[in-house]
Each structure stands twice: as structure tokens, then as C-alpha cells.
């Protein structure tokens, strides 16, 4: 799959896939979108002192990096589990330079995240562990993992990757969540909101990041 490194509006970079006419992050700001959608509305919105995060789409590792930095800043023990069917190449990782753009500490963490072995749990820092799963989400069994507190649903858009936005996947994720778990995604499509609500999440539309009017957040209430 051919990918190109492009710069987004806030100066951070992302990957663009010409064949799909799709990018890994918003062209209106890769880091801005990640911080707003996944950190502010998901990770930071959950009240627990320690959390288990499940991410759909490890991709560039940007969400993991920003979460690791926040976990260290808040001294908040965080287990981060992320699935990716097609890991990006080493040369692409180097060209993204997310760590260097943020801080020296971020650069060290970014390298550790990508150096971590797939399908193993790796301690990245005192407050952050990472388990990257190289697999197809449709085939993943959640029985081998702790229940989740926060879901970062960061698959490609529903019209680009519809097989990952199906009710059956949402139902399995819901079953693998703890009470009070938060589900966040950049998508605000009505059909996605209705499917998640049917699954059991109590849904709300929130103002979106730059370039998007809205996003979705759901909570698992029992």
C-alpha cells in the first residue's frame, strides 16, 4: 500500500494513501485532532485513577504517544492496547518526527512505542504499558485482554473501511468494556451513532476538532 508523508495545518505530519484518497489524521491538524478527540474527550474524560485503553488503528502511533505523555504527566497508570492490521514502515515512522516536534522526552517515547514488539506487552515508561496487536479486528477475540475503560475508535472513515464499522464489531467491543467505559471517535455519522446506541452505549454528539462540525462519544452504563 503506497503512502505519502504530508504536513497538516498545525505543522504536524500524517500519512496519505493515494489509492484510497484517505489520510491517517485530519489535514486540519493531526496532533490537534488527536489531542481533542481522543485525549480530551476520551482519556481525560474518564474519572478512574488508572485506565485500560483500547485503540482501533495504531497507525502512526500518535494517539499512543500523546496518551503516554499525559499518563506520565498525571502519574496515571495506563495500559494501552492497540490493534493494527498493516503496520507502517520504519522509514515512514522516521519521516513523521512526532517526538522531535514535541520534546526530547516525547522523541524517546515515540521510538520506544515503535520499537516495541508486536503481540507482546512492553513497559514504555513508569506509567504506560503498550500491547500492539497485529491482526484483523474482525477476527480478534477479546477474551485474552482486560476489560477496557476507554475506546479510541480511529479506523479509516466508514465509507473507506466499512467492514470495521459494523454492528457486530461494536457489540463485541461493548461486551469487552467495563461499566462507565467511554467510546470516542472522530466520526459523527448518524448511522454510526444509531448503531452504537443500539449496542448499548449512551451516545452524544460533541463539537468536533478543527475542520469537523461534530464527533461522537458514548458511555457504557449498567
Amino acid at each position: 500500500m503506497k503512502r505519502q508523508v504530508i504536513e497538516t495545518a498545525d505543522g504536524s505530519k500524517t500519512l496519505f494513501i493515494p489509492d484510497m484518497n484517505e489520510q491517517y489524521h485530519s489535514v486540519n491538524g493531526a496532533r490537534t485532532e488527536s489531542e481533542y478527540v481522543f485525549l480530551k474527550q476520551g482519556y481525560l474524560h474518564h474519572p478512574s485513577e488508572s485506565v485500560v485503553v483500547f485503540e482501533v488503528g495504531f497507525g502512526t502511533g500518535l494517539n499512543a504517544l500523546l496518551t503516554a505523555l499525559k499518563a506520565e504527566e498525571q502519574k496515571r497508570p495506563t495500559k494501552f492496547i492497540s490493534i493494527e492490521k498493516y503496520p507502517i514502515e520504519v522509514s515512514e515512522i522516521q519521516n513523521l518526527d512526532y517526538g522531535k516536534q514535541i520534546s526530547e522526552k516525547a522523541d524517546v517515547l515515540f521510538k520506544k512505542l515503535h520499537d516495541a514488539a508486536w503481540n507482546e506487552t512492553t513497559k514504555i515508561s513508569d506509567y504506560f504499558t503498550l500491547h500492539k496487536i497485529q491482526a484483523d479486528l474482525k477476527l480478534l477475540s477479546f477474551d485474552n485482554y482486560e476489560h477496557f475503560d476507554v475506546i479510541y475508535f480511529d479506523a479509516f472513515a466508514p465509507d473507506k473501511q466499512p467492514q470495521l464499522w459494523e454492528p457486530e464489531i461494536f457489540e463485541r467491543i461493548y461486551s469487552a468494556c467495563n461499566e462507565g467505559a467511554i467510546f470516542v471517535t472522530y466520526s459523527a455519522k448518524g448511522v454510526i451513532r444509531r448503531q452504537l446506541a443500539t449496542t448499548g452505549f449512551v451516545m452524544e454528539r460533541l463539537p468536533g476538532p478543527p475542520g469537523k462540525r461534530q464527533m461522537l462519544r458514548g458511555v457504557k452504563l449498567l
Side-chain angles (χ1 to χ4, degrees):
M1 185 185 298
K2 183 179 179 183
R3 292 176 289 237
Q4 301 171 353
V5 176
I6 61 172
E7 187 169 315
T8 68
D10 64 4
S12 59
K13 299 174 184 176
T14 192
L15 295 174
F16 174 69
I17 305 174
D19 290 346
M20 292 177 64
N21 190 30
E22 179 75 326
Q23 56 278 336
Y24 279 63
H25 305 284
S26 171
V27 295
N28 295 290
R31 181 179 169 189
T32 300
E33 177 192 46
S34 181
E35 288 177 335
Y36 179 80
V37 174
F38 301 108
L39 273 292
K40 181 178 180 180
Q41 305 298 353
Y43 182 77
L44 295 175
H45 191 71
H46 196 283
S48 178
E49 292 183 0
S50 62
V51 291
V52 178
V53 178
F54 178 66
E55 176 187 45
V56 175
F58 182 75
T60 65
L62 178 58
N63 294 336
L65 172 63
L66 296 175
T67 305
L69 287 168
K70 189 59 68 173
E72 287 299 301
E73 177 188 318
Q74 296 189 333
K75 294 181 170 53
R76 186 187 196 190
T78 300
K79 296 179 180 179
F80 197 95
I81 303 165
S82 184
I83 186 167
E84 176 62 57
K85 188 175 181 180
Y86 302 110
I88 65 176
E89 303 294 332
V90 173
S91 59
E92 295 169 323
I93 296 166
Q94 294 171 340
N95 288 333
L96 287 167
D97 282 343
Y98 287 140
K100 291 179 180 178
Q101 291 177 351
I102 298 173
S103 67
E104 194 171 309
K105 180 178 182 178
D107 191 35
V108 172
L109 288 177
F110 188 60
K111 290 174 181 174
K112 284 186 176 181
L113 292 170
H114 283 285
D115 287 343
W118 288 89
N119 305 308
E120 295 180 13
T121 299
T122 303
K123 182 177 180 180
I124 302 298
S125 64
D126 289 342
Y127 294 93
F128 191 87
T129 62
L130 173 67
H131 188 101
K132 297 188 295 188
I133 308 165
Q134 186 174 357
D136 186 334
L137 178 63
K138 292 176 68 67
L139 303 177
L140 180 68
S141 170
F142 292 105
D143 295 340
N144 298 324
Y145 305 99
E146 293 183 55
H147 277 200
F148 312 131
D149 300 303
V150 181
I151 306 296
Y152 292 177
F153 204 88
D154 199 16
F156 290 133
D159 60 331
K160 306 289 184 180
Q161 210 170 29
Q163 70 273 18
L164 296 186
W165 299 81
E166 295 178 351
E168 182 266 341
I169 285 178
F170 294 149
E171 289 166 5
R172 291 197 295 116
I173 289 175
Y174 181 85
S175 296
C177 284
N178 289 314
E179 180 181 357
I182 294 173
F183 182 110
V184 283
T185 181
Y186 62 86
S187 177
K189 285 184 175 292
V191 64
I192 302 301
R193 179 183 58 79
R194 290 189 293 273
Q195 287 175 357
L196 286 164
T198 299
T199 298
F201 288 105
V202 177
M203 301 302 300
E204 61 179 327
R205 281 197 175 99
L206 301 172
K212 280 192 66 67
R213 191 166 63 89
Q214 295 177 320
M215 60 164 284
L216 294 176
R217 180 168 65 199
V219 179
K220 180 175 181 176
L221 300 179
L222 294 180

